[in-house]
Amino acid sequence: MVTVQTLAPADGATGPDGAPGSVPTGAGAPLRLPVALALAVAAGLALLAAFPLYGLWWTAPIGVALLAVAVRGRRLRAGFGLGLLAGAVFFGPLLAWTNLHVGYAPWILLTLFQATYLGLLGLALAWISPLARRRPWLWPAGIALLWVAQEALRDRAPFGGFPWGRLAFSQADAPTLALAGYGGAPLVTFAVAAAGGLLAYALGELIAARAWTRAAAATAGALAVTLLGLILPATTPDGPSVTVAVVQGNVPRLGLDFNAQRQAVLNNHVAATMKLAEQVRAGQAKQPDLVVWPENASDIDPLRNPSAADAINTAARAINAPILVGAVLSGPEQGQSRNAGLVWPADLAPGAQPAQMYLKQHPVPFAEYLPLRPIVEPIAQAVTNQAKLLRTDFVAGTAPGVLTMGPAKVGDVICFEVAYDDVVRDTVLAGAQLLAVQTNNATFDESEAMQQMAMVRLRAVEHGRDSLMASTVGVSGFVTADGNVHDASGFNTDAILVRDLHLGSGTTPATNAGPWPEYLLTLAALALLIAAGVARRRRTAPVEDTGQAVSA
């Protein structure tokens, strides 16, 4: 008697290596390729619409769902390709502000590099599809977990990562923003992706013409996840109020040559501060306890240039309050610079130097320094028409920016640092009572400024701190700990903003938890990938046919 052995049929459309298996039917079946391509493009557009300047936050889970449906059940390389397509459609317009003054090549390279991470996400979703088909409840959870893991990787690698475009940063006007106070940006991303995962499940049920009740239940679950933040209590600052002034001095013209206009930029901020002092004396404005100038307000090193120091001294004495001056400093070695926030007291003696300084801890690769300079510099010069700007490396600081300014301990965060969880959290843990984000948007456009303001709003809720953003050209404004923006300035204009903010001393659950929510969610994603791999191997193992035997 001969025993016939058969291979177990594959669940989904792929085998363990992405090769076709049996053709499935139902919610796990892959869509026709033209349909999948259209969904991938639609996913990228939906993700884009969630971010400023559009601000349609509710399209973010729709984008997640469309990408998941497009890649489900497909070969691994097809999953990667569809994710890459969605990523290119998303990141291209989102990061278009990077091409305004350096040409198209850096923008295209950055777009494709960022899109690669969504390609990896598409591959991972295709990888777990067979497991999710056998256990449908895993599909929404798997989508959410893998999205968090993708962002965790993109936020860190390479060269410290580039977190722009995280799902959490699209939720500044959404109920899900409240979740930031409980688990930071990773928890917000998880909630948005989980809502998208439930929508993907519902859409799959509808495509397969299965039970409408399950589709309706999944849709209701997505809505519940989205609205959960409405019932969560927020952390509000419990300290006294301080009067804060933000000076937006503007620049003579936008562009990378703002550095060549450095005397005019400094003069603009001095003049605006003098104007504020006149308004205070006339009773038209409240006397500020502290004043914040933006990043690059003084690109003339005031620690080495007596004329720049005298100008800032004049402004500080006139307003009779300490000024947080965004300055570019020389050194410490030749060919190096430092991006700094200096506390300039109103009573600084002539010839003396400020005692408090914060140095930016996370310089931007390829913009403020060149990684692997001997190798990268020739390539960078070949793809940008601004090679002269690449000659100086900015040196990273090593300590959080907690600066005493009058009655307040101000947490200084410079420009893109607001996108990095650890930089902001370390500042709060070091004692910051309010957060000040100094930025220079003169090399970008209003969309970049609004995207950055959305990040400030998330950080305010995440750590329960009143916050502000001070920009050279806009958008500047105040953000209270509930995430609401107040007194926002226009773009490419000068402005003087004055408002009372409250000092905070407590910590939120998110501040206390730190990176652990992201670590645990990422570990769960890795476990899911391993489980999917085990399930794929088991499906290819020979299984004895227990049916009729065939006699020889």
Side-chain angles (χ1 to χ4, degrees):
M1 179 179 292
V2 177
T3 300
V4 177
Q5 290 187 328
T6 61
L7 297 182
D11 289 316
T14 60
D17 59 351
S22 62
V23 180
T25 60
L31 300 172
R32 290 169 43 188
L33 184 58
V35 177
L37 289 170
L39 288 182
V41 172
L45 293 175
L47 292 171
L48 175 66
F51 287 80
L53 294 168
Y54 312 102
L56 304 177
W57 58 266
W58 47 271
T59 65
I62 294 175
V64 171
L66 293 175
L67 178 59
V69 172
V71 303
R72 184 167 187 177
R74 307 205 77 88
R75 298 186 180 195
L76 301 184
R77 59 177 177 267
F80 177 84
L82 291 168
L84 184 69
L85 175 60
V89 173
F90 169 46
F91 283 111
L94 184 77
L95 303 176
W97 44 266
T98 61
N99 74 17
L100 294 180
H101 304 290
V102 297
Y104 290 104
W107 165 57
I108 293 172
L109 290 173
L110 179 61
T111 294
L112 292 177
F113 190 79
Q114 294 296 101
T116 300
Y117 288 94
L118 286 193
L120 294 174
L121 174 64
L123 184 152
L125 289 171
W127 175 257
I128 69 167
S129 292
L131 181 63
R133 184 169 181 263
R134 295 167 61 188
R135 297 175 175 83
W137 58 270
L138 276 176
W139 188 232
I143 292 169
L145 292 172
L146 291 174
W147 205 289
V148 172
Q150 171 264 140
E151 287 190 353
L153 177 63
R154 187 164 62 85
D155 298 349
R156 292 169 172 82
F159 311 119
F162 188 64
W164 226 268
R166 298 169 76 177
L167 289 181
F169 295 153
S170 70
Q171 301 295 292
D173 291 310
T176 45
L177 182 67
L179 297 173
Y182 292 84
L187 184 59
V188 178
T189 287
F190 179 81
V192 175
L198 288 166
L199 291 178
Y201 177 86
L203 186 56
E205 290 295 313
L206 294 178
I207 291 173
R210 291 190 176 184
W212 285 79
T213 54
R214 286 199 293 266
T219 303
L223 184 62
V225 170
T226 301
L227 299 179
L228 176 62
L230 294 177
I231 63 173
L232 296 176
T235 301
T236 55
D238 55 1
S241 65
V242 293
T243 303
V244 183
V246 170
V247 173
Q248 178 179 304
N250 207 10
V251 301
R253 59 187 178 276
L254 299 175
L256 286 177
D257 64 343
F258 74 90
N259 202 32
Q261 314 166 56
R262 53 187 184 169
Q263 185 64 62
V265 175
L266 174 58
N267 291 344
N268 284 356
H269 287 85
V270 170
T273 306
M274 300 291 287
K275 180 180 178 180
L276 174 59
E278 293 174 3
Q279 293 173 346
V280 170
R281 287 194 293 270
Q284 300 171 349
K286 193 173 180 180
Q287 169 64 47
D289 295 305
L290 58 105
V291 179
V292 180
W293 287 5
E295 178 190 29
N296 296 116
S298 179
D299 279 355
I300 303 173
D301 186 347
L303 303 185
R304 298 193 179 191
N305 188 298
S307 176
D310 289 343
I312 300 172
N313 264 331
T314 299
R317 293 193 189 104
I319 195 60
N320 193 30
I323 302 176
L324 180 57
V325 179
V328 174
L329 308 179
S330 302
E333 299 179 5
Q334 188 173 1
Q336 294 180 335
S337 299
R338 295 170 291 170
N339 195 343
L342 301 173
V343 177
W344 210 279
D347 58 355
L348 188 67
Q353 293 191 345
Q356 296 185 79
M357 175 194 308
Y358 168 63
L359 295 180
K360 186 176 182 180
Q361 300 174 78
H362 206 298
V364 180
F366 305 102
E368 293 179 311
Y369 77 99
L370 278 184
L372 308 174
R373 178 174 281 274
I375 300 173
V376 174
E377 186 169 30
I379 301 173
Q381 290 177 340
V383 298
T384 178
N385 56 11
Q386 299 290 340
K388 63 181 181 179
L389 300 175
L390 304 171
R391 295 175 182 172
T392 299
D393 286 334
F394 280 78
V395 179
T398 58
V402 180
L403 307 168
T404 301
M405 299 186 67
K409 291 187 181 297
V410 178
D412 190 14
V413 178
I414 298 180
C415 201
F416 285 10
E417 287 187 324
V418 71
Y420 295 91
D421 298 345
D422 57 336
V423 173
V424 183
R425 177 177 181 263
D426 289 348
T427 302
V428 173
L429 290 178
Q433 297 171 305
L434 62 86
L435 296 174
V437 178
Q438 296 178 289
T439 186
N440 173 32
N441 307 110
T443 58
F444 307 126
D445 64 14
E446 188 174 5
S447 65
E448 185 274 343
M450 294 301 295
Q451 290 165 17
Q452 200 168 20
M453 178 63 83
M455 299 177 195
V456 179
R457 297 175 67 181
L458 182 139
R459 299 307 180 193
V461 174
E462 180 180 14
H463 299 292
R465 293 292 188 273
D466 284 356
S467 306
L468 63 92
M469 187 164 94
S471 170
T472 47
V473 299
V475 175
S476 301
F478 300 102
V479 180
T480 45
D482 57 6
N484 289 321
V485 180
H486 306 271
D487 307 326
S489 67
F491 188 75
N492 194 21
T493 185
D494 58 278
I496 301 171
L497 314 175
V498 181
R499 189 175 186 87
D500 288 347
L501 298 178
H502 285 86
L503 303 180
S505 57
T507 55
T508 64
T511 309
N512 293 329
W516 280 105
E518 186 174 49
Y519 289 166
L520 294 175
L521 292 171
T522 301
L523 285 174
L526 293 175
L528 181 62
L529 291 172
I530 294 171
V534 171
R536 282 169 169 265
R537 292 193 64 181
R538 285 177 178 172
R539 288 206 329 274
T540 62
V543 178
E544 183 174 348
D545 188 353
T546 57
Q548 293 181 350
V550 180
S551 299

